Amino acid sequence: MLAAAFQTAVARSDWAAAVAALDGLIALAPSASLSYNKAVALRRAGRAVEAAEAARTALAQDPAHGNALFELGAALMDAGDRPGATGAFRRVLARHPGDADARTNLAALQVAAGEPSEALAVLGDVGGAEAEQTRAAAWRDLGDLDAADRHMAALPAATALKIATQGATGRIPLDVRRWRPGQGVP
C-alpha cells in the first residue's frame, strides 16, 4: 500500500506525499534504495539540506550506491554548499569518469568558484545545453569573448543574455568589457 502511494505521488509530482510514503517504507525496511528515493523526492520538493542527509543515509547503507552519491552532490549544490558538492561530484567522477551530468555540474561549480580553466578541462567533449552554457560562462570569465559568443550562439536568447551580462564571480559584464573609449555609453 505504501509503495503504491509512493508511485501515485511521484506520478502527480506530489513530493510531500512521496516523502511521507517513503518514510513509512523506510520504517518497515530501511534500505539504500529507499533512502536514495527519499533524497530525490526531498530535493524535488525544494528541501535540499534534508535531501543531502537522505543521500548520506543511503551511502551509509551502501557506500557503492553511485546514484546516491550523485544525488548528494546535486542536493549540496542546491543547498549552496559548493565545496561539499564539488567533493561529491569529484567522487562520482572517480568512479565513473564519463558521467556527463557529474562533469557538467562540477564544471558549473568551478566557474562559480572562479576556476574557468578547470571547468573547461572537466567538461571536455560533454554536449548539451547546460554544458554549452557552462562553456560560454567559462570563456567569458577567461576573457575570450569570441569563444564565449560561439558557445552562446547555441543557447536560447534569454540564457545567452544572462551569460553575456552577468559574471558568476562579479566580473564586469561582457558588453561593458567590449566598450572602447569614444564609443559612447555602453
Side-chain angles (χ1 to χ4, degrees), residues 88-172:
F89 288 126
R90 285 188 192 281
R91 288 173 40 210
V92 169
L93 291 172
R95 294 179 187 179
H96 308 285
D99 187 312
D101 291 331
R103 288 170 60 190
T104 300
N105 287 342
L106 178 57
L109 289 163
Q110 289 173 311
V111 168
E115 302 169 347
S117 296
E118 293 84 349
L120 291 170
V122 166
L123 276 174
D125 61 353
V126 172
E130 289 179 8
E132 285 304 302
Q133 182 175 341
T134 301
R135 273 190 194 88
W139 285 115
R140 173 205 62 210
D141 288 356
L142 286 169
D144 188 336
L145 306 181
D146 292 330
D149 283 345
R150 282 193 304 277
H151 292 286
M152 285 189 291
L155 299 172
T159 302
L161 180 62
K162 183 176 180 181
I163 292 167
T165 60
Q166 296 178 347
T169 57
R171 289 188 167 85
I172 297 171

Side-chain angles (χ1 to χ4, degrees), residues 7-114:
Q7 290 174 350
T8 300
V10 169
R12 292 189 326 249
S13 296
D14 182 350
W15 303 114
V19 170
L22 286 164
D23 282 340
L25 290 166
I26 290 169
L28 294 172
S31 73
S33 179
L34 291 173
S35 294
Y36 161 74
N37 281 311
K38 182 176 178 181
V40 171
L42 285 164
R43 191 165 68 87
R44 290 194 177 162
R47 296 162 56 187
V49 172
E50 293 169 85
E53 278 309 308
R56 286 186 183 103
T57 299
L59 289 166
Q61 294 163 325
D62 179 4
H65 199 297
N67 288 339
L69 184 54
F70 182 92
E71 194 61 31
L72 174 61
L76 291 172
M77 192 173 180
D78 288 353
D81 180 352
R82 286 185 189 156
T86 297
F89 288 126
R90 285 188 192 281
R91 288 173 40 210
V92 169
L93 291 172
R95 294 179 187 179
H96 308 285
D99 187 312
D101 291 331
R103 288 170 60 190
T104 300
N105 287 342
L106 178 57
L109 289 163
Q110 289 173 311
V111 168

